[in-house]
Amino acid sequence: MTETIRYGLIGKQDIRFGTGKFEVTLADGRVVTLDEFNLVTLLVDSGLVVPSYSKAGLPAAGTAGRLARMTDGGTPDNIVEDNGSNWRSIYSRTTGVIVITDPQFGADPAATASANQTAIQAAIDAAAGSTVLVPEGTFNLAGGLTVPSNTRLVGVGRDSVLRFADTVGANIAMIRNADQANGNSNISILDLRLDGNRAGQSFSGDNGQNGIELHGVNNFLIQNVIASSFGKDSFYFGIAGTKISSDGRVIGNFASDNRRIGFTVVAGEDIIFAGNTAVDMAGGVSGNGFHVESNNAANATRRLTYVGNVATGNAQAGFVLANGKQADVSGLIWAGNVASGNTQDGFFIQQGNNNQAITLQGNTIVSNSRDGIRVAGSGRYVRILGNTISNNTAIGINSTVNAIERFQIQQNYVGRNGQHGIVLLRGSGHRSHHLITGNVIDANGTSASNTYDGINVSSDSAASEFRHTIINNNQIIDLEASPTQRYGLNFGANTASNIVEGNRFQGNVSGQINNSAGASFIRANSGFVTENSGTGTINSGATSATVSHGLDVTPTAKAIVVNFTENPTNDPGNFWISAITSTQFTVNVRNDPGASNLDFTWQVTVY
């Protein structure tokens, strides 16, 4: 069907339309047929003189079908329709998207913070189950907004700004899910800029405001949101009753200049964080870029994945697994992230009671002012794989834990850190079954030459030996013109039953391996000789011969095997080994072998 709409020469004449196809007769006599979708384009682009009013000057609604143009903007096309009870944008009718600046809601950059909060909340409530749009402009808020299930809150990018007014109160969030007791589902927040106006708030202790705060929300998407200058966190994911936040995607967001944290999870599962940035968390309460913990043991955080995120310039650590609630976290993956220039650690794993299955893989961890990776606490199955860990002020990988098992450090580059490359230090309880393999550990100890090691292993008590660790196929080197790495591998006190084999050692200042505890097995390493063999002769008129063994470790007598290879002129009698030093040993016989001399072979193997 079609409905003919006559447009005369009077600029204020109403234009009415129904449904279906429309014929619009223009002032020059042309007749155009179009559908509803194209009506807005025609009105905007064809030069039609649609009645124009300011928002405040719109006539009272009540005659359905009238169109007007708003001279002070506020909708994507500035064309509004009288639907019989309210003026509503044509954009909303044709797309189903609720616009907060529609006259029926009245949000306006010029409005008071209280009026905007009321107007925007009314728009969100009207859009429940669909989409609400925040157009360009800065909208001050006197308090927070709540979003119900099945609802999308979207902007048009960084120019769609929601901003807290001064002194909005503590412990609120700019955007929360509506049901804090039972949780919600299917919430999306996209393409907005949130300004917490931290300078305009007052704080005491941990009080403050969050940007986006979701409790017990299932199936959510937070994407392309800039959230900065909050009294607490930009993004916070927690629990509602016994329901944790789950099945979420947090993608391409930016957090900066908060008093506490950029991105926080205290109760969540199956959430992906990808391509987010946390920069310049100012501290005052915390100052971490990304923070993970479990609210309690009954609602443990698990299966979180962080991929391609950046944490830089934060007042504390870049990425943190905290144990504030002393509950378990499992299945945490940090992969392909960047942690640089943070005031404390790049990654800090503050283990809980039994955290497990924690993976750091392919991350770039550079120029942090404490450790590259710091592990403290207890747990098992921590894997540090294929990371670049360099130029950090203190230690590359620093593990000072109580009772951790099956710690895997593999195929990392650990180089040019200010102190040790890798530290494994036991405080209480045994620590065992670890693997350090395939790493390049290069020129560490840059802050003080001949003071720090490539790998430093020790325990502070005999009751908590460090044992059953395999260190193999690593390159532990310092080939700089002025090397600084003291030992390639330094076994300190209370270490036992560890295996070191197949590694390459070269260029370390004080030596390649220091095994002062003497209770680990060291063999078949390049640059540190523990096996050697050769020949020797006890000459006529003598009863001994000195052998230079060429080992980098002092052998014991039982490690030395001597075989005589001829029947001498005289019976030499019995033989023995004496005068074993770090460089040589002596083969002795009781009698002069005579004119034939006495040839022998020797082999030394130290494990």
Side-chain angles (χ1 to χ4, degrees), residues 75 100 191 231 268 287 289 338 348 367 430 489 530 542 602 606:
T75 68
I100 65 169
D191 300 313
V338 175
F348 182 21
S367 301
H430 288 292
L489 171 60
T530 53
W602 60 269
V606 178

Side-chain angles (χ1 to χ4, degrees), residues 516-540:
S516 58
S520 292
F521 302 97
I522 301 172
R523 62 193 178 205
N525 298 282
S526 172
F528 189 80
V529 181
T530 53
E531 305 90 20
N532 206 355
S533 60
T535 60
T537 300
I538 298 176
N539 293 316
S540 177

Side-chain angles (χ1 to χ4, degrees), residues 321 329-334 347-361 363 373-387 389 397-410 412 423-424 431-437 439:
L321 168 57
V329 172
S330 63
L332 173 62
I333 297 174
W334 283 315
F347 286 77
F348 182 21
I349 304 175
Q350 186 181 358
Q351 297 271 49
N353 291 331
N354 193 27
N355 292 320
Q356 58 183 318
I358 312 300
T359 300
L360 290 82
Q361 185 167 6
N363 301 287
I373 298 173
R374 182 177 178 86
V375 181
S378 60
R380 54 183 176 169
Y381 306 119
V382 176
R383 302 189 305 159
I384 300 176
L385 312 174
N387 303 282
I389 307 161
I397 301 173
N398 185 9
S399 178
T400 55
V401 301
N402 293 327
I404 190 169
E405 294 185 2
R406 295 172 175 84
F407 192 20
Q408 183 177 350
I409 302 174
Q410 184 172 354
N412 302 281
V423 167
L424 302 175
R431 183 176 187 196
S432 61
H433 305 295
H434 313 308
L435 176 64
I436 303 174
T437 184
N439 302 282

Side-chain angles (χ1 to χ4, degrees), residues 4-72:
T4 300
I5 304 172
R6 297 294 176 184
Y7 183 83
L9 297 176
I10 302 173
K12 297 290 186 177
Q13 178 180 333
D14 290 345
I15 298 177
R16 300 176 182 276
F17 60 90
T19 58
K21 298 290 184 180
F22 297 86
E23 290 181 352
V24 178
T25 301
L26 305 180
D28 61 5
R30 290 180 294 124
V31 177
V32 180
T33 301
L34 63 154
D35 57 30
E36 288 191 38
F37 181 79
N38 290 324
L39 181 58
V40 171
T41 301
L42 177 68
L43 292 172
V44 172
D45 297 338
S46 68
L48 282 170
V49 183
V50 179
S52 297
Y53 307 93
S54 67
K55 288 181 188 177
L58 283 168
T63 306
R66 290 185 299 170
L67 298 181
R69 185 191 305 272
M70 292 195 303
T71 57
D72 45 1

Side-chain angles (χ1 to χ4, degrees), residues 224-479:
N224 297 335
V225 175
I226 299 170
S228 60
S229 194
F230 283 91
K232 294 177 77 173
D233 308 341
S234 287
F235 304 90
Y236 182 98
F237 305 94
I239 190 168
T242 60
K243 183 179 180 183
I244 65 177
S245 297
S246 62
D247 298 309
R249 291 167 294 157
V250 183
I251 301 172
N253 303 286
F254 184 90
S256 68
D257 191 35
N258 297 322
R259 186 165 166 262
R260 202 172 77 157
I261 297 166
F263 299 79
T264 296
V265 178
V266 299
E269 66 179 6
D270 299 315
I271 304 174
I272 296 173
F273 293 80
N276 303 286
T277 299
V279 58
D280 295 333
M281 295 302 120
V285 178
S286 176
N288 300 320
F290 296 81
H291 178 103
V292 178
E293 65 179 68
S294 276
N295 184 272
N296 54 59
N299 302 289
T301 293
R302 53 186 180 266
R303 298 188 301 275
L304 303 185
T305 301
Y306 292 76
V307 179
N309 303 284
V310 175
T312 183
N314 297 295
Q316 292 190 7
F319 297 80
V320 173
L321 168 57
N323 69 340
K325 305 295 184 182
Q326 287 296 318
D328 301 343
V329 172
S330 63
L332 173 62
I333 297 174
W334 283 315
N337 304 286
V338 175
S340 67
N342 298 291
T343 302
Q344 294 187 8
D345 309 308
F347 286 77
F348 182 21
I349 304 175
Q350 186 181 358
Q351 297 271 49
N353 291 331
N354 193 27
N355 292 320
Q356 58 183 318
I358 312 300
T359 300
L360 290 82
Q361 185 167 6
N363 301 287
T364 299
I365 308 164
V366 298
S367 301
N368 298 287
S369 296
R370 197 163 70 178
D371 300 331
I373 298 173
R374 182 177 178 86
V375 181
S378 60
R380 54 183 176 169
Y381 306 119
V382 176
R383 302 189 305 159
I384 300 176
L385 312 174
N387 303 282
T388 297
I389 307 161
S390 67
N391 295 101
N392 299 288
T393 299
I395 298 167
I397 301 173
N398 185 9
S399 178
T400 55
V401 301
N402 293 327
I404 190 169
E405 294 185 2
R406 295 172 175 84
F407 192 20
Q408 183 177 350
I409 302 174
Q410 184 172 354
Q411 295 181 335
N412 302 281
Y413 174 79
V414 185
R416 294 171 174 78
N417 297 288
Q419 297 179 15
H420 302 292
I422 298 173
V423 167
L424 302 175
L425 173 64
R426 174 67 269 131
S428 63
H430 288 292
R431 183 176 187 196
S432 61
H433 305 295
H434 313 308
L435 176 64
I436 303 174
T437 184
N439 302 282
V440 176
I441 303 164
D442 174 30
N444 295 284
T446 58
S447 66
S449 180
N450 199 25
T451 304
Y452 301 105
D453 309 312
I455 302 176
N456 183 284
V457 181
S458 64
S459 178
D460 58 11
S461 75
S464 56
E465 285 185 332
F466 190 100
R467 60 190 184 186
H468 302 313
T469 289
I470 297 173
I471 302 173
N472 70 345
N473 297 324
N474 302 283
Q475 295 188 59
I476 310 174
I477 59 178
D478 192 338
L479 304 182

